[in-house]
Amino acid sequence: SIAVLGVFSLPFVRRHAYELFLSTHIAFTVIIMVAIFLHLAPFDFSQPSIILLIIAGSLCAILMAARIGISLWNRAEVRIFEENGLLKADITLAKPRQVRAGQFVFLRVPSTSALSINESHPFFIASWDQDKENKTRNITALIQRRKGFTRLLQAQPTAVRAFLEGPYGESPLAEDYGNVILFASGIGVAAHLGCIKQLLNARDQGPTRTQVISLLWEVDEIEPWDAAIKMVHKLLDQDADRCDRETPDWKNARSRFVSSFDRCHSTHN
């Protein structure tokens, strides 16, 4: 069992078949612990080796049970939309949470596969709705298809059951700077969309230090990223609305902001 566990733990296997690595790792760990107990029979609970084995096994079981229990307690509903291969997951939480830029959640979708209840995958929160108490019930994540769990995800316009862990992660202190420059390539833009949203929300509430927000986003093609581009345009609209309010005589504020983003795409092409 230890030899097989070592083979499945190789970086090549973890990178190309993570779900297989995870399932075999858990299964063979349990087999190894049972085999050690049987090998040590009859048990002498005064021996340090037995005590350490019991402590290690108990801690492992408690941590696994706690994580699964927390995830099952934090129920949610998810709707999945697909645009040119990019998935957008609109998640409705059963209980409101506080969400900050740069945070991520672990998502379980049992309907994905027979073993998906044991699979939780991290996704950055790209957008969220916020009430007057700074809590949210609706968050959005962008998902790029890869192998395994994301490959099995299908578009689900109707709500399906999901379980959530989080949000986790520290929020960057971008509000402390006058000029904020964000770099991203591909799906990495998902984390930056949340940061831009938080900066714009802060500006909507009153004067802030941040006056310039620059997003430098590199992609090979434009079409596969339509869902993310729409979210960028939504943020541009939010900032243009603020410009309309603060400078009523600036009639071309909205067209200037949105067209500048379009010209960047044209130049890239």
Side-chain angles (χ1 to χ4, degrees):
S1 296
I2 296 176
V4 175
L5 191 62
V7 172
F8 281 107
S9 298
L10 293 174
F12 175 82
V13 178
R14 294 203 310 268
R15 184 167 57 252
H16 295 280
Y18 179 79
E19 283 77 15
L20 178 62
F21 154 74
L22 180 62
S23 300
T24 55
H25 187 84
I26 295 173
F28 281 108
T29 299
V30 173
I31 292 174
I32 290 171
M33 294 184 69
V34 172
I36 292 175
F37 266 107
L38 295 177
H39 179 74
L40 294 176
F43 304 123
D44 182 1
F45 290 97
S46 63
Q47 293 184 8
S49 58
I50 295 292
I51 296 174
L52 291 175
L53 187 60
I54 293 174
I55 293 175
S58 300
L59 287 176
C60 180
I62 291 172
L63 290 175
M64 290 179 61
R67 184 173 181 182
I68 294 175
I70 292 173
S71 178
L72 296 178
W73 176 260
N74 294 325
R75 298 182 303 277
E77 291 183 344
V78 59
R79 294 176 175 83
I80 301 175
F81 304 91
E82 183 173 2
E83 293 188 40
N84 296 328
L86 185 66
L87 301 176
K88 185 181 77 166
D90 291 336
I91 305 169
T92 302
L93 308 176
K95 299 179 180 179
R97 316 276 180 83
Q98 286 190 336
V99 174
R100 298 281 294 173
Q103 292 187 315
F104 59 93
V105 294
F106 282 89
L107 182 65
R108 299 174 191 260
V109 185
S111 61
T112 303
S113 67
L115 298 177
S116 60
I117 190 64
N118 189 44
E119 298 177 9
S120 62
H121 296 259
F123 300 103
F124 273 107
I125 301 173
S127 183
W128 63 92
D129 296 333
Q130 196 166 274
D131 59 21
K132 295 180 180 179
E133 297 180 354
N134 293 328
K135 292 187 177 181
T136 181
R137 283 185 178 271
N138 301 296
I139 62 177
T140 298
L142 292 176
I143 303 173
Q144 185 180 23
R145 285 196 185 278
R146 297 289 188 181
K147 296 181 179 180
F149 174 77
T150 55
R151 179 179 59 84
L152 296 175
L153 279 177
Q154 301 294 328
Q156 299 280 358
T158 57
V160 296
R161 184 178 58 176
F163 302 103
L164 209 71
E165 294 179 58
Y168 298 120
E170 295 293 331
S171 179
L173 300 177
E175 296 93 334
D176 294 338
Y177 300 93
N179 295 311
V180 176
I181 304 177
L182 304 170
F183 296 88
S185 63
I187 194 62
V189 74
H192 291 334
L193 293 179
C195 183
I196 297 173
K197 178 178 176 61
Q198 184 164 296
L199 289 171
L200 293 180
N201 288 345
R203 290 172 67 171
D204 286 341
Q205 295 173 4
T208 60
R209 291 185 179 181
T210 306
Q211 299 300 314
V212 179
I213 305 171
S214 301
L215 173 63
L216 305 180
W217 179 23
E218 180 184 17
V219 295
D220 295 329
E221 297 178 299
I222 298 299
E223 288 75 13
W225 302 99
D226 284 343
I229 291 172
K230 289 179 181 178
M231 296 182 71
V232 173
H233 276 280
K234 187 176 180 180
L235 293 171
L236 289 169
D237 287 340
Q238 180 179 347
D239 200 31
D241 287 337
R242 182 187 60 82
C243 291
D244 290 338
R245 294 193 306 270
E246 295 182 359
T247 50
D249 56 338
W250 187 10
K251 299 180 180 179
N252 297 321
R254 183 183 304 276
S255 61
R256 175 176 176 176
F257 273 85
V258 176
S259 62
S260 66
F261 185 74
D262 289 334
R263 284 198 300 274
C264 290
H265 280 96
S266 300
T267 302
H268 183 79
N269 285 334

